[in-house]
Amino acid sequence: MDTVTIKDIARKCGVGVSTVSRAMNNHPDINPKTKEMILQVIAESGFVPNNSARNLKRVDARAVALLVKGMDNMFFTDIIHTIEKETQEQKYSCILQQVEEDENELELALELVKEKRLRGIIFLGGNFAHPEELQRRLTVPFVISTIGQLEKAGGYIGGSVSVDNRKESFKIVDYLCSLGHRQIAVLTSAEDDESIGKLRLDGYRQALENRGIAFDPSLVVYMEPEIDRYSLASGYRMTKKLLEAGARFSALYATADTLALGACRALKEAGVEVPADCSVAGFDGLDAGKYYIPSLTTLEQPAEEIAEATVRHLFQLIRKKEKPRRLFFEGKLVVRESTQEYRTRGDSATGGNHGREN
Amino acid sequence: MDTVTIKDIARKCGVGVSTVSRAMNNHPDINPKTKEMILQVIAESGFVPNNSARNLKRVDARAVALLVKGMDNMFFTDIIHTIEKETQEQKYSCILQQVEEDENELELALELVKEKRLRGIIFLGGNFAHPEELQRRLTVPFVISTIGQLEKAGGYIGGSVSVDNRKESFKIVDYLCSLGHRQIAVLTSAEDDESIGKLRLDGYRQALENRGIAFDPSLVVYMEPEIDRYSLASGYRMTKKLLEAGARFSALYATADTLALGACRALKEAGVEVPADCSVAGFDGLDAGKYYIPSLTTLEQPAEEIAEATVRHLFQLIRKKEKPRRLFFEGKLVVRESTQEYRTRGDSATGGNHGREN
């Protein structure tokens, strides 16, 4: 009975395959009696619909795990979407596993590999600064997605796919400098972070240095551990803090678009117009930034390509066709409404850039 | 060797458990030599770290599947997050499975249940209008999350957790009416949709009727199948279409916050000020709406509670402690900056509400 196909059903009912399909999908264009008859035949036949090629061979499929730290980070949405889709294309199932902020993703992964079906792991988000000795415990190949490089320890022994976070961060801060801004506030991750936030902050420092601008610690807002994440709420809170401290800046660089959008709102509530009084730039290239008012200048990451390459590389590792590599993609500076040239006080309709003297 | 614990390692090294933990987590506060020694002992011992209670018993865990149609819908992010977390709490693993727009989630589910570990299914998104006969093929319990009721077929034979989409939609449209708006445009799902979009559109119609306002088909914009989804881009496109058709309205109700945010941007680009020229209201209660400029009036769904109750109900079904039920949660009208009282032309600084004839 397991070999009953949709064609068998159609034949038995004396109708076409498309009519059977319509009955199954509750399509309006079908005679109710015909539909009832077809569903009755299906119910009696032991037919399990599986005519879609994508659905074949799912049974007890081998799996890869996707470990995500910071799943509410909007930037990850498309990446998770693409990774899951590409994994399905390979006829593997994808086990999504969240890693809480205080959890160790490597410990979690070591537990997961005990699962027999597991063939590979993708790590997304967080700070993958684990000693090489422990990484070697992972008996399946793994790829770190979106981070790129690590300062500590021996780096990864797995593959890695990302933009060069330091270089791309340099690019957008240099763009702000090119507009004439010299007092550029920055919202970044927690002070002890060794991951993306650190790399982007390094890029910020290098860009200032390259332009001969001194690094001013009073313009840096770090996330508070336990409280902040890459979210609009954090960007809002961090910017409030900056304003309350009386910091002077004509531009604000948020190391993630989520933070930048929250920052715009905090500035607005403080009566600071973006971009007239303060330019704001983000990082990531979220869709939300495109539709925000003002639309957001950002450094766009090729999220879909990064996700696709992550899966492709993992399967090359699983099939032993490649050694672990570090793949880098280029980001793209996207200039929108939230940034403009620095003007000295009095130039602009709103009385000059925020907090900037002269 | 499998029974080696972190305490054994600590004893063997002559250090405390916290020191071992610091070594494993690359904590800065540890003598490098001590750390090296500890990692060496770990490497030789066959110790697999699993001291976190949350990580125990993951091995070959039983699983539930989460089938998501429209994974890029921002409203689902928190729901998926919570469902996954709650499932882990139950010591089950969560298999995340995307359903493409043109795929049949029930067919997919029927394939998945062949998988031996699977104990239950949660359906999120899409249109679950499947004939009862086919639903009965699912040999594991299932719960439909966020939709609520169905018009067609016999409804669900599984459980259901959601707000009452029709009632909540009525609530927010009635609020717009109470502000004096009578020409209220609406952005909704595809015309043949039988799911959430349909229910919310019904609520809109009922609210107008209740206020004695005639339903005007020229004020309804349906999503285009194959093109539109619950995204900012769709809201933007749909509103452009409305404006290009020369529709007259003083308020716009988007049946999802994502659509509403895209709508605000399209209105802005057309020189229509929100809320001075046109009030905008959404549905869902996304974080993004809170930080948008203007912040968005919306009907907030208790996303976390819905997600938690979904998992709770599923496990009650798995454990045969309950029969499938329909659980409803209350939504909450959240009034923010994007809506204001209707003003006749000339009242407001910008020359009155958009397109509205006096």
Side-chain angles (χ1 to χ4, degrees):
Chain A
M1 286 300 269
D2 258 356
T3 55
V4 177
T5 68
I6 192 166
K7 283 186 192 167
D8 297 329
I9 301 293
R11 204 159 29 228
K12 202 160 172 180
C13 298
V15 301
V17 165
S18 62
T19 307
V20 177
S21 173
R22 277 202 290 274
M24 282 163 44
N25 292 297
N26 255 359
H27 196 281
D29 291 344
I30 182 171
N31 179 303
K33 293 220 161 169
T34 309
K35 177 172 154 187
E36 196 184 314
M37 179 266 289
I38 292 169
L39 293 174
Q40 190 58 34
V41 170
I42 289 175
E44 288 163 3
S45 70
F47 169 61
V48 175
N50 64 352
N51 47 331
S52 148
R54 190 173 166 249
N55 297 345
L56 294 174
K57 302 207 188 287
R58 275 182 198 280
V59 191
D60 293 317
R62 292 154 303 180
V64 304
L66 172 58
L67 273 69
V68 187
K69 206 165 199 165
M71 197 142 114
D72 43 4
N73 183 344
M74 281 160 70
F75 175 62
F76 288 163
T77 309
D78 284 347
I79 300 217
I80 295 171
H81 188 258
T82 306
I83 287 177
E84 206 273 344
K85 201 165 119 186
E86 295 293 314
T87 307
Q88 299 291 345
E89 295 275 328
Q90 300 285 340
K91 313 282 185 213
Y92 274 56
S93 65
C94 180
I95 299 171
L96 179 73
Q97 174 82 47
Q98 290 178 76
V99 186
E100 299 298 325
E101 282 306 320
D102 59 350
E103 267 188 322
N104 182 316
E105 58 268 70
L106 186 60
E107 285 188 28
L108 213 50
L110 288 169
E111 276 301 304
L112 279 172
V113 290
K114 294 180 183 171
E115 158 127 21
K116 290 177 207 79
R117 304 184 314 151
L118 201 68
R119 297 290 184 275
I121 301 178
I122 292 168
F123 293 97
L124 186 60
N127 171 1
F128 200 84
H130 303 290
E132 209 180 300
E133 293 91 327
L134 291 184
Q135 292 185 42
R136 295 213 176 278
R137 287 293 179 82
L138 282 178
T139 51
V140 299
F142 64 95
V143 177
I144 320 276
S145 196
T146 76
I147 304 181
Q149 55 280 78
L150 278 178
E151 299 312 294
K152 275 196 179 179
Y156 317 135
I157 63 160
S160 155
V161 182
S162 68
V163 296
D164 181 333
N165 279 291
R166 193 185 284 123
K167 191 181 92 184
E168 302 298 342
S169 184
F170 180 100
K171 215 190 265 178
I172 192 157
V173 178
D174 190 65
Y175 167 71
L176 290 173
C177 295
S178 78
L179 294 174
H181 297 286
R182 295 182 62 87
Q183 288 170 301
I184 304 171
V186 61
L187 310 185
T188 186
S189 57
E191 201 159 1
D192 63 350
D193 176 52
E194 295 289 332
S195 184
I196 285 175
K198 166 85 162 59
L199 296 167
R200 294 186 189 163
L201 184 63
D202 283 354
Y204 162 85
R205 295 184 74 138
Q206 286 175 5
L208 294 188
E209 201 184 324
N210 182 55
R211 292 269 183 177
I213 301 169
F215 175 78
D216 178 354
S218 75
L219 293 181
V220 185
V221 191
Y222 297 98
M223 284 187 194
E224 279 185 48
E226 321 290 316
I227 298 172
D228 292 320
R229 293 158 297 123
Y230 288 105
S231 69
L232 284 77
S234 293
Y236 177 81
R237 245 185 333 252
M238 293 163 81
T239 306
K240 285 254 173 201
K241 209 194 282 182
L242 193 65
L243 293 166
E244 279 159 18
R248 295 173 171 279
F249 51 97
S250 67
L252 184 147
Y253 166 46
T255 53
D257 283 352
T258 46
L259 299 176
L261 298 180
C264 286
R265 177 80 209 172
L267 291 169
K268 155 115 190 160
E269 290 181 8
V272 180
E273 284 295 318
V274 177
D277 304 330
C278 179
S279 287
V280 173
F283 195 108
D284 282 342
L286 289 187
D287 227 26
K290 200 152 106 191
Y291 294 99
Y292 200 78
I293 299 170
S295 59
L296 188 68
T297 294
T298 190
L299 197 297
E300 191 176 282
Q301 299 196 61
E304 203 174 324
E305 275 137 286
I306 290 174
E308 282 171 4
T310 298
V311 176
R312 209 180 310 124
H313 187 40
L314 182 67
F315 278 92
Q316 289 294 82
L317 296 176
I318 290 172
R319 287 164 188 150
K320 299 194 197 318
K321 294 192 173 164
E322 264 178 27
K323 295 272 171 213
R325 292 194 295 153
R326 292 193 182 186
L327 303 168
F328 288 104
F329 282 81
E330 283 286 318
K332 190 175 134 199
L333 176 66
V334 180
V335 176
R336 299 205 187 96
E337 296 165 354
S338 66
T339 45
Q340 71 174 34
E341 276 192 27
Y342 170 70
R343 297 179 192 175
T344 52
R345 198 175 286 271
D347 268 19
S348 85
T350 52
N353 290 353
H354 173 69
R356 174 87 184 208
E357 286 189 318
N358 177 3
Chain B
M1 284 299 268
D2 259 356
T3 55
V4 178
T5 70
I6 191 166
K7 284 185 190 168
D8 298 327
I9 302 292
R11 204 158 28 228
K12 202 160 172 181
C13 299
V15 300
V17 165
S18 61
T19 308
V20 177
S21 173
R22 276 204 289 275
M24 282 163 45
N25 292 297
N26 255 0
H27 196 283
D29 290 345
I30 182 171
N31 178 301
K33 292 219 163 171
T34 309
K35 177 172 153 187
E36 196 184 315
M37 179 267 289
I38 293 170
L39 293 174
Q40 189 59 34
V41 170
I42 289 176
E44 288 164 3
S45 71
F47 169 59
V48 175
N50 64 352
N51 49 332
S52 149
R54 190 172 164 248
N55 296 344
L56 294 174
K57 302 207 188 287
R58 276 182 198 279
V59 192
D60 293 316
R62 292 154 303 181
V64 303
L66 172 57
L67 273 70
V68 186
K69 205 165 199 166
M71 197 142 112
D72 44 4
N73 183 344
M74 280 160 70
F75 175 62
F76 288 163
T77 309
D78 283 346
I79 301 217
I80 294 171
H81 189 258
T82 305
I83 287 176
E84 207 272 345
K85 201 166 120 186
E86 295 293 314
T87 306
Q88 300 291 345
E89 295 275 328
Q90 300 285 340
K91 312 281 185 215
Y92 275 55
S93 65
C94 181
I95 299 170
L96 180 72
Q97 173 83 47
Q98 290 178 75
V99 186
E100 300 298 324
E101 282 306 319
D102 58 351
E103 267 190 322
N104 182 316
E105 57 268 73
L106 187 59
E107 285 188 30
L108 212 50
L110 288 168
E111 276 301 305
L112 280 171
V113 290
K114 294 180 184 172
E115 158 128 21
K116 289 178 205 80
R117 303 183 315 150
L118 201 69
R119 297 290 185 275
I121 301 178
I122 292 167
F123 292 97
L124 186 61
N127 171 1
F128 200 83
H130 303 289
E132 209 180 301
E133 293 90 327
L134 290 184
Q135 292 184 43
R136 294 212 176 278
R137 288 292 179 81
L138 283 178
T139 50
V140 298
F142 64 96
V143 177
I144 320 279
S145 197
T146 76
I147 304 182
Q149 55 280 79
L150 278 179
E151 300 310 295
K152 276 197 180 177
Y156 317 133
I157 64 161
S160 155
V161 182
S162 68
V163 296
D164 181 333
N165 279 290
R166 193 185 285 122
K167 191 182 91 183
E168 303 298 342
S169 184
F170 180 100
K171 215 189 266 178
I172 192 156
V173 177
D174 190 64
Y175 167 71
L176 289 173
C177 295
S178 78
L179 294 174
H181 296 286
R182 295 182 62 86
Q183 287 171 300
I184 304 170
V186 61
L187 310 185
T188 186
S189 57
E191 201 159 0
D192 63 351
D193 176 52
E194 295 289 331
S195 184
I196 285 176
K198 166 84 162 61
L199 295 167
R200 294 185 190 164
L201 185 62
D202 283 353
Y204 163 84
R205 295 184 75 139
Q206 286 175 5
L208 294 188
E209 201 183 324
N210 182 56
R211 293 269 184 175
I213 301 169
F215 175 78
D216 178 353
S218 74
L219 293 180
V220 185
V221 190
Y222 297 98
M223 284 187 195
E224 279 184 50
E226 321 290 318
I227 298 173
D228 293 319
R229 293 158 300 121
Y230 288 105
S231 69
L232 285 77
S234 295
Y236 177 80
R237 247 187 330 254
M238 292 163 82
T239 306
K240 285 253 174 202
K241 210 196 281 183
L242 193 66
L243 292 166
E244 279 159 17
R248 296 174 168 279
F249 52 97
S250 67
L252 183 147
Y253 166 46
T255 53
D257 283 353
T258 47
L259 299 177
L261 298 180
C264 286
R265 178 80 209 172
L267 291 170
K268 156 115 190 159
E269 290 181 9
V272 180
E273 284 295 318
V274 177
D277 304 330
C278 178
S279 287
V280 174
F283 196 110
D284 282 341
L286 290 186
D287 227 27
K290 199 152 106 192
Y291 295 98
Y292 201 78
I293 300 171
S295 59
L296 188 68
T297 294
T298 190
L299 197 296
E300 191 175 283
Q301 299 197 60
E304 202 173 325
E305 276 138 284
I306 290 173
E308 282 171 4
T310 298
V311 176
R312 209 180 309 123
H313 187 39
L314 182 68
F315 278 92
Q316 288 296 81
L317 296 177
I318 289 171
R319 287 164 187 149
K320 298 193 198 315
K321 294 192 173 164
E322 265 178 28
K323 295 272 172 213
R325 293 194 295 154
R326 292 193 183 188
L327 303 168
F328 287 104
F329 283 82
E330 283 286 319
K332 190 176 135 199
L333 176 66
V334 181
V335 176
R336 299 205 187 97
E337 296 165 353
S338 66
T339 46
Q340 71 173 34
E341 276 192 27
Y342 171 69
R343 297 179 192 175
T344 52
R345 199 176 285 271
D347 267 18
S348 85
T350 50
N353 289 354
H354 173 67
R356 174 87 185 207
E357 287 187 319
N358 193 344

